[in-house]
């Protein structure tokens, strides 16, 4: 019986990895901290160099004939809009005897409705005295205009009621005349019509009395509005505190700068697409992370731990170099200085077993141009690698940064350790590195991660297959002893025999930006 087994489909890659985004933004703290400090400085500079102009404020109690307890503020908003009119501004300027245009004066003041009947007026000027004078003139002009409008409204309403009363009186006079004519002639045949005339006369008398009452009420309401509209808070200059303004503007600038810095950092992270987490770097390079090192020595209490980690990595790379007949190389991406120091440490460790030559393939002769110290191994440039004697051990140091000469990397060593700085290369470039190393048939032992995120808890190990999870166990048949056979036997030390395995090459990565499976 045949059983068909299908591998589970890989989980869909999320459109936005929040964990990677948070880590990347946190690593760019220099940017958003600098933006926050810049915003703080800008806010402080604004408070010191651009102080607010001298200003004065006053409050006016505004009474309306149409005031209702459930008013939503429509009347006071109307008063605020009326304050911002050329009629009010012109009246205030005339009382001040100022030649300024009303349109220009309107830009120097504003009104705010505090409650349904309380209006606050704020005015600026060249100095405190001018601001106070402007505020008083503006408040007086507004009160006078409001009282005049209320009086005009009441007079117009009273006149309309009295005119309607007079028309009703004329109609009543006509009804009375008709009743008198019927009584004088002694006509008693139309008793029903006479009753209707008496009813009509009573209705007209009632309407005349109602019009008189309403006209009196309209006239009576105006004094209450006039007396209720008044200045309740005399104009006074507004005192500005420099320390308070400095603290307020600095806090606002700090918040705005921090927000802008975080936004720029987040956008830059998404656009650049530079992997930071161990799992992302391992997936894009197709090789597992075998060790991590900080970029700098760190704080004093961290230096001992950093030194121990560096010593362990040096010993591990030295054992890897001793355990194979193939030459080992260290290829850097964004961390040439750290890679050079690591290569010299490994070379010094290997020098205890025999002569070691370090081949410097870094741009700019990072190692070959340095002044050697006593006891250091020989360092030659990449151009002189062909002249190195065949005996001894070679340790190559090169770069896989943009612009690298890919065909020269195999002369530095057919087995390599990638030394990658976290967040330096984009995902597309990491794919390019993996493909180029696979094309050059250079086996990747693993990845040494420089400057990792200390809070990264992701797994940088690939377990999808031995052809991907290269952990340094693959070895290449020695060219001088291979002869095309699948296994080769090499003498080591005092008659010991070691069987070398076939190499496992760097995983080929697809051209797309999808995660390597």
């Amino acid at each position: 019986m045949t059983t068909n087994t299908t591998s589970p489909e890989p989980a869909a890659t999320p459109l936005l990895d929040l964990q990677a985004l948070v880590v990347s933004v946190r690593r760019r703290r220099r940017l958003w901290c600098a933006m926050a400090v810049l915003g703080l400085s800008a806010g402080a500079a604004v408070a010191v160099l651009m102080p607010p102009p001298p200003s004065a404020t006053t409050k006016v109690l505004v009474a309306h004939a149409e005031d209702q307890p459930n008013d939503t503020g429509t009347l006071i908003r109307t008063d605020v809009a009326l304050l911002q009119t050329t009629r009010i501004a012109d009246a205030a300027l005339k009382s001040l005897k100022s030649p300024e245009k009303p349109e220009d004066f309107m830009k120097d003041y504003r009104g705010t409705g505090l409650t349904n009947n309380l209006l606050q007026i704020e005015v600026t000027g060249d100095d405190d005295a001018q601001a106070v004078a402007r505020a008083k003139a503006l408040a007086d002009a507004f009160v006078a205009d409001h009282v005049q409008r209320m009086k005009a409204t009441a007079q117009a309403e009273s006149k309309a009621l009295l005119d309607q009363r007079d028309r009703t009186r004329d109609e009543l006079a006509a009804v009375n005349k008709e009743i008198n004519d019927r009584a004088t002639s002694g006509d008693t045949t139309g008793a029903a019509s006479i009753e209707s005339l008496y009813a009509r006369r009573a209705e007209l008398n009632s309407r005349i009395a109602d019009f008189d009452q309403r006209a009196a009420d309209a006239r009576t309401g105006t004094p209450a509005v006039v007396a209720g509209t008044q200045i309740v808070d005399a104009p006074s200059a507004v005192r500005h505190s420099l320390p308070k303004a400095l603290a307020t503007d600095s806090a606002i600038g700090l918040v705005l700068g921090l927000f802008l810095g975080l936004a720029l950092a987040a956008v830059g992270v998404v656009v650049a697409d530079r992997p930071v987490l161990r799992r992302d770097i391992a997936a894009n390079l197709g090789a597992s992370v075998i060790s991590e090192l900080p970029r700098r020595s760190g704080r004093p209490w961290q230096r001992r731990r950093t030194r121990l980690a560096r010593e362990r990595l040096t010993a591990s790379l030295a054992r890897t170099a001793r355990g194979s007949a193939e030459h080992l190389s260290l290829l850097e991406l964004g961390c040439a200085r750290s890679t050079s120091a690591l290569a010299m440490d490994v070379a010094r460790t290997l020098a205890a077993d025999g002569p070691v030559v370090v081949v410097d393939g870094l741009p700019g002769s990072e190692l070959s141009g340095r002044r050697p110290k006593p006891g250091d191994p020989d360092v030659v440039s990449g151009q002189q690698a062909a002249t190195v004697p065949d005996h001894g051990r070679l340790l190559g140091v090169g770069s896989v940064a943009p612009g690298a000469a890919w065909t020269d990397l195999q002369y530095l060593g057919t087995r390599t350790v990638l030394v990658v700085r976290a967040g330096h290369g984009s995902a597309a470039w990491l794919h390019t590195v993996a493909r180029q190393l696979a094309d050059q048939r250079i086996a990747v032992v693993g990845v040494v991660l420089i400057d990792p995120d200390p809070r990264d808890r992701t797994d940088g190990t690939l377990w999808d297959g031995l052809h991907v999870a290269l952990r340094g166990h693959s070895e290449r048949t020695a060219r001088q002893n291979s002869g095309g056979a699948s296994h080769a036997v090499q003498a080591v030390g005092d008659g010991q025999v070691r069987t070398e395995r076939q190499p496992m090459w760097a995983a080929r990565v697809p051209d797309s930006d999808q995660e390597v499976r």
Side-chain angles (χ1 to χ4, degrees):
M1 181 177 62
T2 303
T3 304
N4 294 329
T5 59
T6 59
S7 59
E9 295 184 357
T13 303
L15 182 62
L16 182 63
D17 191 343
L18 293 180
Q19 181 183 7
L21 177 63
V22 171
V23 171
S24 300
V25 170
R26 187 170 63 241
R27 288 174 63 87
R28 303 187 69 179
R29 54 184 173 271
R30 288 187 179 180
L31 171 62
W32 46 266
C33 286
M35 293 296 295
V37 173
L38 181 61
L40 178 68
S41 303
V46 168
V48 174
L49 302 178
M50 300 178 62
S55 60
T57 180
T58 183
K59 295 178 182 177
V60 179
L61 180 63
V62 185
H64 307 91
E66 304 86 358
D67 276 337
Q68 297 293 333
N70 58 351
D71 181 48
T72 58
T74 304
L75 297 176
I76 197 67
R77 287 197 296 270
T78 302
D79 294 331
V80 171
L82 288 172
L83 182 66
Q84 297 285 343
T85 57
T86 56
R87 184 173 67 178
I88 304 295
D90 185 60
L93 290 175
K94 286 181 179 178
S95 65
L96 292 171
K97 298 180 180 180
S98 174
E100 188 177 1
K101 293 183 180 180
E103 292 80 3
D104 297 334
F105 181 49
M106 289 168 55
K107 300 177 182 178
D108 296 337
Y109 70 86
R110 66 187 181 93
T112 306
L114 302 180
T115 65
N116 290 346
N117 296 99
L118 191 60
L119 176 65
Q120 178 175 289
I121 302 174
E122 299 176 9
V123 190
T124 60
D126 295 336
D127 51 31
D128 291 342
Q130 185 186 35
V132 171
R134 282 183 163 191
K136 186 177 186 307
L138 194 61
D140 291 338
F142 176 79
V143 170
D145 181 79
H146 181 75
V147 169
Q148 181 182 1
R149 285 187 291 105
M150 293 298 103
K151 286 183 177 180
T153 302
Q155 290 175 0
E157 184 179 358
S158 176
K159 184 178 183 301
L161 292 172
L162 293 177
D163 290 343
Q164 196 165 359
R165 181 202 63 182
D166 293 338
R167 289 193 297 270
T168 306
R169 283 180 175 178
D170 293 340
E171 186 178 353
L172 178 60
V175 172
N176 288 331
K177 183 178 181 301
E178 186 175 355
I179 292 175
N180 290 333
D181 292 342
R182 293 274 186 100
T184 304
S185 63
D187 185 7
T188 59
T189 57
S193 61
I194 293 175
E195 290 295 332
S196 65
L197 289 175
Y198 281 117
R200 179 61 177 167
R201 183 173 65 180
E203 180 185 356
L204 292 175
N205 284 327
S206 176
R207 291 176 61 184
I208 290 172
D210 181 60
F211 287 142
D212 285 336
Q213 181 64 36
R214 290 170 62 186
D217 292 340
R219 290 193 299 271
T220 304
T222 303
V225 173
V226 172
T229 302
Q230 57 183 324
I231 299 175
V232 294
D233 191 1
S236 60
V238 178
R239 303 301 177 187
H240 298 286
S241 174
L242 180 59
K244 182 179 180 180
L246 186 65
T248 303
D249 293 351
S250 299
I252 294 175
L254 175 66
V255 172
L256 292 179
L258 181 61
F259 176 78
L260 181 60
L262 290 174
L264 290 177
V267 172
V269 166
V270 174
V271 173
D273 190 19
R274 299 179 183 272
V276 175
L277 301 179
R278 286 192 295 264
R279 67 160 184 241
D280 297 332
I281 294 177
N284 286 295
L285 284 175
S288 298
V289 176
I290 59 176
S291 183
E292 295 178 347
L293 285 179
R295 188 181 177 189
R296 300 178 180 86
S297 58
R299 298 175 177 86
W301 58 86
Q302 296 176 338
R303 291 176 181 174
R304 182 175 182 276
R305 184 173 59 184
T306 301
R307 185 179 68 255
L308 293 177
R310 190 182 190 90
E311 292 175 356
R312 288 195 298 267
L313 176 60
T314 301
S316 175
L317 294 181
R319 285 193 298 269
T320 302
R322 294 190 190 103
S324 174
E326 296 297 318
H327 297 311
L328 183 69
S329 66
L330 302 181
L331 301 180
E332 65 86 22
L333 179 59
C335 49
R337 187 181 300 273
S338 300
T339 306
S340 301
L342 181 61
M344 292 305 298
D345 291 342
V346 175
R348 294 188 187 101
T349 304
L350 293 175
D353 301 335
V356 178
V357 177
V358 179
V359 179
D360 179 19
L362 294 173
S365 300
E366 181 74 21
L367 286 174
S368 58
R370 62 189 290 273
R371 179 177 297 179
K373 297 179 181 179
D376 281 353
D378 296 334
V379 179
V380 298
S381 63
Q383 293 81 3
Q384 299 173 352
T387 62
V388 176
D390 203 9
H391 57 83
R393 189 179 300 276
L394 295 181
L395 179 64
V397 184
S399 175
V400 289
W406 302 108
T407 55
D408 293 342
L409 296 181
Q410 58 182 341
Y411 298 106
L412 299 177
T414 53
R415 303 174 73 244
T416 186
V417 174
L418 295 175
V419 185
V420 180
R421 179 184 171 187
H424 179 76
S426 64
W429 184 252
L430 296 182
H431 285 189
T432 301
V433 171
R435 290 196 304 270
Q436 291 289 348
L437 293 179
D439 291 342
Q440 297 299 320
R441 300 185 64 79
I442 298 177
V444 179
V445 175
V447 178
V448 175
L449 196 59
I450 302 297
D451 192 21
D453 185 77
R455 302 181 185 178
D456 183 11
R457 298 295 181 267
T458 61
D459 187 8
T461 305
L462 301 182
W463 296 104
D464 290 346
L466 292 178
H467 64 288
V468 176
L470 298 175
R471 301 180 55 83
H473 301 298
S474 61
E475 297 184 2
R476 196 176 181 190
T477 305
R479 294 179 180 177
Q480 64 273 22
N481 298 326
S482 62
S486 60
H487 297 279
V489 179
Q490 180 182 1
V492 179
D494 300 332
Q496 296 181 357
V497 179
R498 181 177 63 218
T499 302
E500 302 227 356
R501 303 173 183 173
Q502 289 293 332
M504 290 183 289
W505 311 110
R508 293 185 177 270
V509 182
D511 292 340
S512 64
D513 290 344
Q514 296 178 357
E515 182 181 359
V516 178
R517 296 291 178 181

